[in-house]
Amino acid sequence: MSESESESYKILVVDDEPDVEPLMLQRMRRHIRSGRYSFVFAQNGIEALEVLNNDAEIDMVVSDINMPRMDGLTLLSQISELNPDLRAVIVSAYGDMKNIRTAMNRGAFDFVTKPLDFDDLQVTIERTLENMKAWKEALSSRDKLVSLQRELDVASQMQQSILPTQFPRGDGFETFGSMEPARNVGGDFFDVVLLDDGQIGLAIADVSGKGVPAALFMMSSRTLLKGSAIGLTEPGKVLREVNNLLAEDNESAMFVTVLYAVYDPATGHLSYANGGHNLPVIFHGDGSCIVLPYTEGLALAVLAGMEFDTGEVTLAPGDTLVLYTDGVTEAMDAENVEFGMERLQAVFASGAPESAEAANEAVFAAVREFVAGAPQSDDITCLTLRRIGA
Amino acid sequence: MELKTTREGTNLIVDMEGRVDGTNAMDFQSALEGAIQQSDQGVIMDMGQLQYISSAGLRVILLVAKSLQKQNAKLLGCALSESVREIFAISGFDKIVPVHDSRADALKALED
Amino acid sequence: MSNGLALTLENRPEELERLTAAVETLAEQDNWPAALTFKVNLVLEELVLNVINYAYEESGHHVDVSLVCNEEDLVIEITDQGIPFDPLHDAPAPDMESPMEERSIGGLGVYLVRSMTSDMQYRREEGKNCLTVAVPTEG
């Protein structure tokens, strides 16, 4: 993330529109001058493959989808065969969910929408590079004997690299998420995805196991979840698809608990599905709260063909939805007493939070105050969504 | 732990008796895997005489469920005692292995 | 109920049989409902096997198990002198590939134990791991 790092990266930009090259060079000039990025350009998939074949130093690809001769989706499948370490970001028209979904399923790391917001693109590029670095280290440390501490460091970098750094907010809603990683074991991640029709997809998950295998598994869980979320509207169907994909070649018996919800800012309607995860809590404006009703669903990747129910609720203006992992409820104080559900439900007893970020911070503050410095044994993760108003 | 297997057409019925725990789960696994044939369409675990099962035993059931899925065969359970049924419910194994009250019900479910 | 048991096991998985036998005897004496005997056996197996498999690097060590019967719950205490190891949090995830004796209770075992106990506390003191859990006698 930090610009001060001296690494430099070569990025291939593939787009058939002639003004992309000058625009990119102009808008990224600061990062080009500092030596962090250098750019190579191609007009279509065929050209891009030629460039990639001749230049082994390219670190990532930013590609348009609709191009003559070879489109971006075909290019993606070729790239993963050419060099699985290469990361690709897809540029697509806003609302072109079908193509974005196909791109994610073909291994794209992320996507940005047109018209291009260069700040957004730069954040996405940084995240992608971060992930690529972590991925390479993870692979190389998997292949050779490394110290446990080293392995855990690599895994933790990988984990950090897939967490979103920007949180969607809009008319009447805002979101916020954060994670406090545990020193050695942990496998939490979360994601917030902009969906079709202005809906918001929210996911929180906890991967079993630790170290590099768990981090790689986390990486595929995140990508598959994002891809499925973009293409399907019903949360139960999203988890069903992700489960089938993850279970397909999961010989290692890892699994991941996931709570996935879709929020419609226009109506406050929230649908959700649960794969063995902790049930979220909705805090009302008066400080009271409800735990979302249980819906059937087993942790993902255990066995293919499982069904996941979809539950539905509506957020009233002023309501805050809190998604969390067991690192919150199972945080322990020096006496080994757990934080527990009751304390979580009491966090806002004295008043509703002012914002999604404040809600998030309040949960962390309550946990921190409770454990009072006792060592943390699991990741603590919390993702909040607030319906603004009244 | 004792396993008795019988065959009804392309279905295998496994009578489980006694305890499956961390000390004998490996034996349970090899006995069960040894009894299953590639041509089996359904496997019914009759747990009427199963006194006890721990996570080690559940893991074997999961492994078998996975490999049966690969050969497009179904794995069912029947006649679970109250305690075993509770373990299945808590662990979510009742979703992995559909559970029926009796062997007859399980066989009927395989026919459908 | 006022009975209990105290047992010292060697760190070999086969020792589980001795533990189970002792629990069955106690259950018979005190007329435990079948469901309670099942739960106590399960909690003990998951935790004790985990200690046996992970707390020591070599054989020849011991694990102390005690069980005290109260009106409302049975309190189980498991003590060993191995490396600092908290079965609630340090247990590696289940690994289907490794041989059975090396498999941990991992996620599933801990999950089952958590569902069946009302209170779990781990302490590291005087070079010992000490884990206490309570199994409610009702429900």
Side-chain angles (χ1 to χ4, degrees), chain C residues 17-85:
Chain C
E17 284 169 32
R18 212 150 60 83
L19 178 60
T20 306
V23 171
E24 301 283 347
T25 307
L26 180 64
E28 221 164 284
Q29 271 174 22
D30 277 6
N31 277 322
W32 290 1
L36 181 63
T37 313
F38 193 112
K39 272 184 202 174
V40 170
N41 270 323
L42 188 111
V43 169
L44 279 171
E45 176 187 334
E46 305 290 355
L47 295 174
V48 168
L49 273 189
N50 212 359
V51 169
I52 286 176
N53 288 333
Y54 292 104
Y56 298 104
E57 284 181 356
E58 68 283 335
S59 55
H61 294 279
H62 295 101
V63 181
D64 293 315
V65 179
S66 78
L67 193 154
V68 177
C69 308
N70 301 317
E71 201 58 42
E72 285 170 2
D73 59 14
L74 305 176
V75 178
I76 293 168
E77 192 167 82
I78 300 167
T79 317
D80 65 82
Q81 303 188 43
I83 54 163
F85 178 81

Side-chain angles (χ1 to χ4, degrees), chain A residues 196-210:
Chain A
D196 222 349
D197 304 327
Q199 305 206 76
I200 315 294
L202 301 145
I204 191 159
D206 187 353
V207 169
S208 69
K210 60 179 171 181

Side-chain angles (χ1 to χ4, degrees), chain A residues 121-164:
Chain A
L121 177 63
Q122 205 254 324
V123 169
T124 306
I125 288 176
E126 282 301 315
R127 267 190 75 195
T128 309
L129 290 172
E130 192 79 9
N131 179 266
M132 180 206 65
K133 245 173 68 184
W135 167 264
K136 282 188 180 166
E137 286 188 44
L139 287 182
S140 76
S141 75
R142 188 188 59 179
D143 295 340
K144 59 183 186 232
L145 231 50
V146 296
S147 72
L148 183 62
Q149 194 49 52
R150 178 82 198 106
E151 172 163 353
L152 293 173
D153 287 348
V154 169
S156 139
Q157 275 170 33
M158 182 72 127
Q159 182 182 21
Q160 292 290 341
S161 75
I162 62 170
L163 297 181

Side-chain angles (χ1 to χ4, degrees), chain A residues 246-378:
Chain A
L246 282 175
E248 216 165 83
D249 42 26
N250 176 25
E251 296 298 330
S252 58
M254 279 186 275
F255 59 89
V256 54
T257 68
V258 183
L259 191 295
Y260 176 65
V262 173
Y263 178 68
D264 184 355
T267 59
H269 182 263
L270 182 91
S271 53
Y272 63 97
N274 188 9
H277 198 80
N278 304 59
L279 285 166
V281 183
I282 293 177
F283 293 92
H284 303 304
D286 63 1
S288 65
C289 66
I290 58 152
V291 178
L292 289 194
Y294 174 81
T295 56
E296 289 279 338
L298 199 64
L300 277 63
V302 175
L303 191 70
M306 297 286 119
E307 297 293 337
F308 298 83
D309 288 346
T310 296
E312 290 174 276
V313 288
T314 299
L315 297 195
D319 279 359
T320 304
L321 172 74
V322 174
L323 305 136
Y324 57 94
T325 56
D326 59 7
V328 171
T329 44
E330 290 171 16
M332 291 197 293
D333 69 6
E335 304 288 302
N336 287 307
V337 178
E338 293 185 349
F339 184 70
M341 256 328 250
E342 282 173 25
R343 285 188 187 83
L344 175 62
Q345 287 174 261
V347 168
F348 302 105
S350 57
E354 303 267 302
S355 68
E357 186 170 353
N360 206 281
E361 276 167 9
V363 171
F364 278 92
V367 171
R368 224 172 278 134
E369 188 190 356
F370 173 77
V371 302
Q376 181 188 341
S377 62
D378 199 359

